[in-house]
Amino acid sequence: MPNVLASTLKNRRLRRTIELAVGPALLVLIWWIAFKGQLVNKDLLPSPFDTLRDTAGSILAGSMTRDFLYTLVRVAYSITIAIVAGVPAGIVLGANAAVYRSLEFLVDFFRSTPATALFPLFLLLFGLGDIAKIAVAAFAAWLVIVFNVAYGVMNARQTRIQAARSMGAGSLRIFRDVIFFETMPQTFVGLRTAVSLALVVIIVAEMFIGATDGLGHRIIDAQISYSLTDMYGSILVAGAMGYGLNLSLLFIERAFIHWSGR
């Protein structure tokens, strides 16, 4: 019996590994077909294998790793600011319908405004340094978190709230033991969206707001100097960062909110 269980677990891990490998392999295959069949101008699309080789070399040399870390730190700062400021604001909005209705227009208006359209405003306020990049990304992520937290608070299941109230629980106890946990799934949905948005804004800001480092600067610099393998490699690394951040949040969500939907 133990051997059967061990074999089953091994087969599951192998199947899972194969499933995870299909996506990257398919990407490389389509890229290689487009390159080899000259479906795209060969002067605009390098070989995927040359790109992966040069990217690995840049990572080992440390230059790609340095830019990766600069971008990651900026994203981390912006999302931390957004969480610290956004979660309390979302709770206040969601807990009071009158307050939410009063401010709904402002939240939806700025949430619907492209973050990149706010670059000039944040440049005027904060200048060309890192503060402007982090601030505009934090603002965009903050709006997403506020909306999702407020939505989660407003849509907490009333049956559980009424059950807690019938047992004599006060408002603070109901919020702490019922509403807070009911809002967590929606909060994590907003958090994953906010992280992806913050990364996009930071990358674009690094391209166009006087950056001297980061993946966005590396991409635009490689495009200007016509270093195509470096440009495509930097795009792949930026995509890997976004995928990794989203995957990390999913693992945290599954570990701490395993009761979701029950």
Side-chain angles (χ1 to χ4, degrees), residues 96-116:
N96 191 313
V99 174
Y100 182 81
R101 285 194 298 271
S102 300
L103 300 178
E104 183 179 11
F105 169 76
L106 287 177
V107 174
D108 282 344
F109 176 81
F110 284 107
R111 192 169 61 89
S112 303
T113 303
T116 50

Side-chain angles (χ1 to χ4, degrees), residues 7-239:
S7 178
T8 302
L9 288 173
K10 185 177 180 181
N11 289 335
R12 285 179 181 174
R13 287 174 187 154
L14 179 61
R15 185 168 64 249
R16 181 60 178 160
T17 302
I18 293 172
E19 289 172 353
L20 291 173
V22 167
L26 189 60
L27 173 62
V28 172
L29 177 62
I30 294 172
W31 186 347
W32 182 82
I33 290 172
F35 168 76
K36 202 69 177 176
Q38 296 187 4
L39 302 179
V40 179
N41 189 325
K42 64 180 182 179
D43 294 327
L44 302 177
L45 184 69
S47 162
F49 303 110
D50 290 343
T51 300
L52 293 174
R53 185 191 65 239
D54 291 352
T55 302
S58 296
I59 292 172
L60 292 174
S63 60
M64 183 79 77
T65 305
R66 184 174 61 253
D67 286 322
F68 179 94
L69 290 175
Y70 275 118
T71 298
L72 184 61
V73 167
R74 288 174 182 133
V75 172
Y77 274 126
S78 62
I79 204 64
T80 300
I81 294 169
I83 291 171
V84 171
V87 171
I91 290 171
V92 170
L93 284 177
N96 191 313
V99 174
Y100 182 81
R101 285 194 298 271
S102 300
L103 300 178
E104 183 179 11
F105 169 76
L106 287 177
V107 174
D108 282 344
F109 176 81
F110 284 107
R111 192 169 61 89
S112 303
T113 303
T116 50
L118 299 174
F119 280 175
L121 172 62
F122 280 84
L123 282 174
L124 287 174
L125 293 174
F126 300 108
L128 289 172
D130 273 359
I131 294 178
K133 301 178 187 66
I134 293 169
V136 69
F139 180 71
W142 176 80
L143 290 168
V144 174
I145 290 173
V146 167
F147 176 81
N148 279 275
V149 172
Y151 182 82
V153 171
M154 289 188 296
N155 289 276
R157 277 178 280 192
Q158 293 300 313
T159 52
R160 294 187 178 181
I161 295 174
Q162 293 300 332
R165 189 167 287 136
S166 68
M167 289 186 285
S171 298
L172 185 61
R173 183 74 180 271
I174 290 172
F175 173 78
R176 188 188 67 190
D177 294 342
V178 181
I179 296 177
F180 176 77
F181 289 102
E182 286 285 308
T183 24
M184 289 299 286
Q186 188 64 39
T187 298
F188 267 91
V189 170
L191 185 56
R192 292 201 307 273
T193 305
V195 167
S196 298
L197 180 59
L199 176 59
V200 170
V201 174
I202 289 293
I203 291 289
V204 175
E206 289 174 345
M207 287 180 174
F208 302 112
I209 306 184
T212 57
D213 46 49
L215 291 175
H217 172 264
R218 190 181 186 94
I219 290 168
I220 201 70
D221 195 48
Q223 185 261 333
I224 292 171
S225 62
Y226 203 67
S227 179
L228 294 184
T229 56
D230 194 24
M231 184 187 79
Y232 281 98
S234 300
I235 293 171
L236 290 176
V237 171

